[in-house]
Structure formats: C-alpha cells, structure tokens
Amino acid sequence: MQEIPQSFSLALSLIASLDANLLAIAGLSLRVSGVAVLLAALLALPLGAWLALARFPGRQGVIAVLNGMMGLPPVVVGLLVYLLLSRAGPLGSLGMLFTPSAMVVAQALLIFPIIAALVRQVIEDAWGEYREQLLSLNASRGQAMMALLFDMRFTLITAVLAGFGRAIAEVGAVMIVGGNIDGVTRVMTTAIALETSKGDLPLALALGVVLIAMVVVINLAAQGIKTLAMRKHG
Amino acid sequence: MASAASTSAGADIASCILPLRVEALGFRAGDVIALDGVSLNVMPGTRNIVLGANGAGKSVLLRLLHGLLAPTSGRLQWHGGDDADVRRAQAMVFQRPVMMRRSVRENIEFALRLVHAADIDKKAAEALELVGLARLADRPARLCSGGEQQRVALARAWALKPEVLFLDEPTASLDPAATRAIEETVNAMHAAGTTIVMTTHDLGQAKRLADRVLFLHHGRLVEDAPAKDFFLQPTSPEAAAFIRGELLW
Ligand SMILES: Nc1ncnc2c1ncn2[C@@H]1O[C@H](COP(=O)(O)OP(=O)(O)OP(=O)(O)O)[C@@H](O)[C@H]1O
Ligand SMILES: [Mg+2]
C-alpha cells in the first residue's frame, strides 16, 4: 500500500508543473460546464421568475415536477440527449454527438431544473415581501419580475453556482454524449473514471484535487460576493 | 420643508378621480370579518384620518381603497378616469415600506420609471429635497434607519404626484422629530392639492392633521365626523372611550 502516498506526491507534482494534459482537461471541463450554466441560467432565470409570479391551474403540479427534476440522474439525461443526437435520432443530422457541444446540451438540460427551481423559490419569497409595494407602484407583471430578479441578484448567484457545481462534477451525462475522447471530449470527471480504471492513480488524483479545489474556490467566491454585497446593499 | 407647498408638488390638475364613493364595503377572510358595511366618501383636498384600536380594520380599509384587496361585499366607485388613470393617481406609504436593493435615489427613480415619467433625475432630486434626505441620496436604501426609510417611501410617493395618498401608520415607530418631519411633508403635499387618507393610533397626530376622522371599531365604521366635532363631542361610546384612552373590547 505504498501506492497511495506515492500517487499523491505524483499528483501534486503534476499540478505544480502545470502539466499540459491536466490543464487541457481542466480547461475543457470549465468551458463545457461554463457554457452549460450560462445557457441554463439564461432560460431558468426568466422561467423561474415567471413561475414564481404566475397563477394558473396546475401550477403546483409544475412546481412539484420541477423540484423533482432537480435530482435527475445524469446518466438518464445523457441517454436522452444521446437518443436525440444519435445518427438515427431527430437531431442526428446536426452531427453533434461526441462533441463538446453535445456535452454542453446534456449538462444544460441537467442543471436547468436545478437553477429554475431555486430561482422560483427565491423570487416567490421575495414576491411575498414586495408584492403590495410593487402593485402599489403600478408595476406590471413583467416589470415586477425584472425588479425582483435584480433585487435578488446576490442570492441568485448562489442558485446559478449550485447548477455549475452540479455540472462540473457529474460524469454520467458527459460520458455518454461526449464519449471521453482523448483531446476532444475528455473532461475531468470522465478522465478520473478512465484513469482510475486503468490504474493510473496520479493523474486521477491530480484531477480530483483540481476538481475539488475548483468547486471550493467557486463556492467561496460566491459566498464572499454575497456577504460583501449584502453588507453594502442591505 | 414647509416651502415645498409652493413648488410644483401634488396634483398638477384638479382632481379627476375623486370623489371616491364607498358603499357597504366589506372584507372577510374565512371566519374573520375584517371589515363590515363601511360606507363613506372621500372628497378632493381633504385630510382623512382613520382611527381605531389594533385589529379594528384600518389597514384592511386602506388596502381595499387602494385596490390591493378585492372587497368581498359592497362596492367602491371612483368618480372619473379609466382603471389605469385611477391606479396611476394613487400612491401608498406602507407601515413597513419595502426598500429595493438600490440607493435611495434609485428607489425613487425606479418608481418614476415604472410610470414612464419624464425628467426622472429632476423629480427624484426634488422629492429627496422635500423630505430632507438629499444628503443620503447615494446610500443603499436598505441600510437607512426606519425613520429614513419612511421618508424615502414618502418621497417616492410624492414624486409620483398622486391625487390621493394613502398612509398606513407612517410614524408608528418613529421618534418625535422624525414624526414631525413626516407630518410636515404630508401637510406640504396636502397644501399642494393631494388628498390624504391616513391611519394612526396617535390621537395627537390625528388632532394635528385631520380635517375629518373615520373611527373604526371591530370592522365597523362607528363614527365619521369633522375632526373638531369628533374630539369635542364624539357621538359613539366607543369613540368617547378611545379618546379617553380606555381599553375597549
Ligand atoms: N388577509 C387577511 N386574512 C385574514 N384575516 C385578516 C386579513 N387581513 C386582516 N385580517 C384580520 O382583520 C382584522 C383587521 O386587521 P387590520 O390589519 O386592518 O387591523 P388594523 O386596524 O390595521 O390594526 P393595527 O392597528 O394593529 O395595524 C384583524 O383581526 C386581522 O387579523
Ligand atoms: Mg394596521
């Protein structure tokens, strides 16, 4: 069992030497999950806010489904996107399967419900507090939505980052639709899975350390932004 | 602050939505009858003070008049204008005003932008001047003290130049100086033509401000009288007891 400490020191040296392979994989992870979170947030922010203010029959059901979809299994999302994008699938002609774009789509689908459900909750709570004031000021539905999104901006950062954290750490969806092709669609999580199964622990560990560090730093930053902003804006 | 009366405050044109006629207005939620059979008129240019103990129905009455609640019985009819005019011609200052997460100035500009007002910068500056908060213009509104927030809310309402201003216990938790500042602003707005409908617990305040007193007791309007009549010779035992400072149940 000498292997583990040894792997650890190798892992640290990979990180310290800014190993090109490591950087490429980590970079792709960041790009894929970054674009996915951007896309998902772009849709989830207005939709979540709309759902918070809208009143229609079946609304509770929609909310329940949305909340339930926060726990979608990544492999199932991967499978669905695979079926959509495969040669015989409805979007097969796009030729997106096994490209980073396919991975973006899968991750965006995976985290959209997470962000939308959190946004809905945040905006609905705020609406409870602001409703009478905004109605009194003659705000339309749309104006109220925009005002609430803006006023809750620091809390919403947390919702978006929760989506990012989920995206960058999942392996099932990107594995299926990306295919873990070396230099093309290999991201941190799929690389860790592969290297571990090959027995190449140093790279797997190094990637694991980088992944955890990224998630921690991003969450700390989010917390910091929120605390500072709250102190500044009340 | 008193000079505000001579600026362009208040309704620019003679009131067009008043008088407001209220007939047998009622509001119940489940078993609770918050308001029952309230009939009254609100005439242009008057200062109407709604008095009553905790839970008497003052806030519910204001919300109904302002259109934030729909009556469960009775009706309420504004004299003129379509629905949009009627909405646009009113403003309300809440007991706990909501400040947006922006600066004091931006809070006022936000309200002006919602109604597509022109000269937003100038109007916001004037409003802050009126309530004596010009020096706090750039402070985040949520970090202002309770009294300052109350004045921001009043400035926000003033900037909209409503014909009718509703105020729900605007000075309930304020110190005497802040209370006086609010009262002066309310009077300045009234002098400029705004009709005032305000609730309070404070008899002194009611005496200082009221042209007319509406006294609510357990959801019923038990007295509707010119202010001096109300304080000198209340006609209902409930109002007499309230003025003497007795508990009534
Ligand atoms: N939405 C509601 N649902 C149920 N009950 C309500 C509702 N709004 C008000 N009430 C009840 O109606 C009564 C009158 O409430 P209201 O807030 O108008 O009192 P108030 O005169 O403003 O009292 P205070 O001086 O304490 O502000 C209270 O008993 C209250 O609990
Ligand atoms: Mg009240």
Side-chain angles (χ1 to χ4, degrees):
Chain A
M1 278 274 96
Q2 277 305 310
E3 216 173 87
I4 291 177
Q6 209 178 344
S7 300
F8 245 115
S9 60
L10 269 171
L12 291 180
S13 69
L14 274 179
I15 295 170
S17 67
L18 298 177
D19 178 74
N21 195 21
L22 181 80
L23 285 186
I25 293 173
L28 184 62
S29 265
L30 272 182
R31 280 205 302 283
V32 166
S33 298
V35 177
V37 83
L38 226 82
L39 278 181
L42 222 57
L43 296 174
L45 285 167
L47 189 112
W50 175 80
L51 194 55
L53 269 60
R55 291 293 174 270
F56 56 90
R59 173 173 177 273
Q60 284 309 323
V62 173
I63 291 173
V65 169
L66 190 62
N67 286 342
M69 283 177 22
M70 289 176 85
L72 279 182
V75 279
V76 175
V77 174
L79 177 60
L80 285 177
V81 174
Y82 181 92
L83 292 175
L84 278 177
L85 297 181
S86 67
R87 190 87 47 83
L91 300 178
S93 57
L94 296 178
M96 268 169 66
L97 200 59
F98 305 131
T99 66
S101 305
M103 296 154 76
V104 166
V105 170
Q107 289 197 339
L109 273 180
L110 180 73
I111 62 179
F112 167 78
I114 298 177
I115 302 178
L118 293 173
V119 169
R120 200 274 309 166
Q121 188 64 59
V122 168
I123 298 298
E124 193 164 327
D125 290 349
W127 182 229
E129 185 193 343
Y130 287 59
R131 197 184 75 89
E132 291 200 325
Q133 183 73 67
L134 288 173
L135 291 179
S136 172
L137 292 174
N138 281 308
S140 66
R141 255 318 123 95
Q143 288 170 325
M145 266 174 56
M146 293 306 295
L148 291 170
L149 284 170
F150 182 75
D151 245 49
M152 293 296 124
R153 57 200 179 277
F154 306 120
T155 312
L156 293 175
I157 290 176
T158 319
V160 171
L161 284 167
F164 182 78
R166 169 95 163 150
I168 201 154
E170 71 84 23
V171 55
V174 280
M175 183 73 96
I176 294 180
V177 304
N180 194 26
I181 303 166
D182 193 8
V184 184
T185 59
R186 182 160 300 169
V187 289
M188 287 192 283
T189 54
T190 55
I192 290 171
L194 177 71
E195 301 306 327
T196 306
S197 67
K198 284 197 323 200
D200 182 0
L201 291 186
L203 183 55
L205 269 173
L207 286 164
V209 169
V210 172
L211 182 56
I212 289 174
M214 263 183 199
V215 172
V216 168
V217 165
I218 285 163
N219 279 302
L220 281 180
Q223 201 54 48
I225 291 172
K226 201 179 153 194
T227 314
L228 273 181
M230 284 292 182
R231 198 171 303 153
K232 187 156 170 278
H233 296 273
Chain B
M1 257 185 230
S3 69
S6 58
T7 69
S8 60
D12 293 334
I13 32 166
S15 178
C16 55
I17 66 165
L18 289 167
L20 165 65
R21 303 200 182 285
V22 175
E23 277 169 40
L25 200 65
F27 181 79
R28 65 184 300 165
D31 297 340
V32 184
I33 299 175
L35 211 67
D36 189 24
V38 169
S39 298
L40 55 89
N41 295 325
V42 177
M43 305 307 288
T46 51
R47 287 171 299 179
N48 305 272
I49 302 291
V50 182
L51 280 176
N54 291 132
K58 303 182 296 294
S59 296
V60 168
L61 176 62
L62 249 60
R63 287 184 161 82
L64 285 167
L65 298 185
H66 188 37
L68 293 174
L69 284 177
T72 52
S73 60
R75 58 195 215 107
L76 165 164
Q77 192 181 17
W78 295 94
H79 169 259
D82 58 22
D83 281 359
D85 294 336
V86 166
R87 299 270 336 125
R88 175 67 185 81
Q90 309 173 38
M92 178 151 169
V93 174
F94 293 86
Q95 183 170 346
R96 262 186 346 105
V98 176
M99 295 287 117
M100 313 288 294
R101 265 189 198 89
R102 323 166 179 233
S103 72
V104 164
R105 185 206 322 274
E106 284 161 351
N107 261 273
I108 293 168
E109 292 180 350
F110 169 77
L112 287 166
R113 223 171 290 120
L114 284 179
V115 296
H116 309 291
D119 293 329
I120 285 176
D121 296 358
K122 189 167 140 267
K123 284 178 182 159
E126 276 177 14
L128 287 174
E129 198 65 46
L130 176 86
V131 299
L133 283 185
R135 82 208 143 76
L136 295 187
D138 294 313
R139 177 172 304 181
R142 292 216 168 202
L143 299 186
C144 290
S145 76
E148 288 162 354
Q149 291 192 8
Q150 204 59 264
R151 277 146 80 189
V152 175
L154 198 55
R156 186 162 62 184
W158 181 85
L160 297 170
K161 305 230 164 25
E163 284 176 37
V164 185
L165 176 65
F166 296 101
L167 303 109
D168 194 359
E169 295 182 35
T171 62
S173 54
L174 304 188
D175 68 30
T179 299
R180 232 184 68 125
I182 298 266
E183 287 179 9
E184 279 176 10
T185 310
V186 169
N187 272 333
M189 290 180 71
H190 170 251
T194 303
T195 301
I196 306 291
V197 181
M198 171 168 155
T199 72
T200 181
H201 287 132
D202 178 346
L203 282 173
Q205 181 166 65
K207 281 183 186 152
R208 287 191 294 277
L209 292 180
D211 296 322
R212 172 202 190 195
V213 173
L214 301 157
F215 180 73
L216 286 175
H217 182 64
H218 290 182
R220 296 186 153 273
L221 181 63
V222 295
E223 193 131 351
D224 174 355
K228 55 179 190 322
D229 296 351
F230 177 85
F231 290 109
L232 284 178
Q233 41 202 211
T235 55
S236 64
E238 293 91 346
F242 185 83
I243 293 169
R244 287 196 305 271
E246 290 170 11
L247 286 176
L248 33 130
W249 300 104

